[in-house]
């Protein structure tokens, strides 16, 4: 079987379908868990700090999926601004906690507490509301 396995190429239709199907099955279990934290100024700021330290390298400060490094991942780093495949807070928390095997998404279970991850989820939800200049500033 010959094909282009380059990380700089977009996946084909079948590969995209299978990846989306597998991800949707994997994230169904924890999908109903609500975020126990409210989006207060303090919680959002703490979530932003953890996001910028742990997530912005890959997802970018603005959450659009391309960090400052310009490194190309395969599968590509998803935009956190894309509402097409909306996930629940519990699903996002589960993905950040456990990671996604065979992708560049690591587990943060040892690097962040569950409470810190919930606050990152708050910040990710808040990203689309940020003006462009606020998204770019550290």
């Amino acid at each position: 079987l010959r094909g282009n396995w380059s990380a700089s190429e977009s996946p084909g239709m079948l590969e995209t379908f299978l990846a989306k199907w597998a991800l949707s099955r994997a994230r169904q279990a924890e999908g109903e868990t609500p975020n126990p934290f409210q989006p207060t100024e303090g919680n959002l700021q703490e979530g932003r700090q953890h996001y910028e330290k742990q997530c912005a390298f890959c997802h970018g400060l603005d959450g659009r999926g391309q960090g400052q490094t310009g490194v190309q991942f395969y599968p590509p780093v998803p935009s956190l601004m894309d509402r097409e495949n909306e996930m629940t807070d519990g699903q996002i928390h589960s993905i950040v906690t456990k990671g996604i095997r065979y992708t560049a998404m690591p587990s943060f279970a040892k690097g962040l507490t569950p409470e810190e991850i919930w606050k990152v989820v708050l910040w990710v939800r808040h990203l689309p509301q940020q003006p462009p200049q606020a998204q770019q500033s550290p």
Side-chain angles (χ1 to χ4, degrees):
L1 176 68
R2 298 184 73 139
N4 187 350
W5 292 94
S6 169
S8 63
E9 297 295 322
S10 298
M13 286 181 9
L14 178 60
E15 187 174 355
T16 299
F17 171 79
L18 291 174
K20 286 181 179 181
W21 177 81
L23 182 57
S24 71
R25 299 280 298 175
R27 66 184 187 207
Q28 285 176 353
E30 284 97 15
E32 301 305 316
T33 306
N35 194 327
F37 293 93
Q38 295 298 312
T40 64
E41 187 63 33
N43 287 339
L44 286 169
Q45 285 308 311
E46 187 177 338
R48 179 181 184 172
Q49 290 170 355
H50 292 301
Y51 175 89
E52 289 178 356
K53 183 177 178 186
Q54 303 288 347
C55 311
F57 180 82
C58 296
H59 290 281
L61 287 173
D62 63 1
R64 296 194 189 281
Q66 183 62 43
Q68 311 87 309
T69 64
V71 174
Q72 291 181 300
F73 291 98
Y74 188 82
V77 176
S79 170
L80 302 176
M81 305 291 273
D82 183 9
R83 298 299 183 201
E84 178 183 314
N85 299 314
E86 187 68 33
M87 291 186 275
T88 66
D89 286 0
Q91 290 170 331
I92 296 170
H93 189 277
S94 177
I95 288 171
V96 174
T97 301
K98 297 176 182 179
I100 302 174
R101 192 181 305 219
Y102 304 117
T103 73
M105 181 63 196
S107 165
F108 285 94
K110 292 182 180 178
L112 296 170
T113 67
E115 294 79 16
E116 291 169 336
I117 293 172
W118 281 120
K119 292 174 183 178
V120 169
V121 173
L122 288 176
W123 181 251
V124 167
R125 291 282 188 227
H126 193 71
L127 276 172
Q129 301 167 20
Q130 296 299 295
Q133 64 274 15
Q135 293 174 358
Q136 298 302 319
S137 65

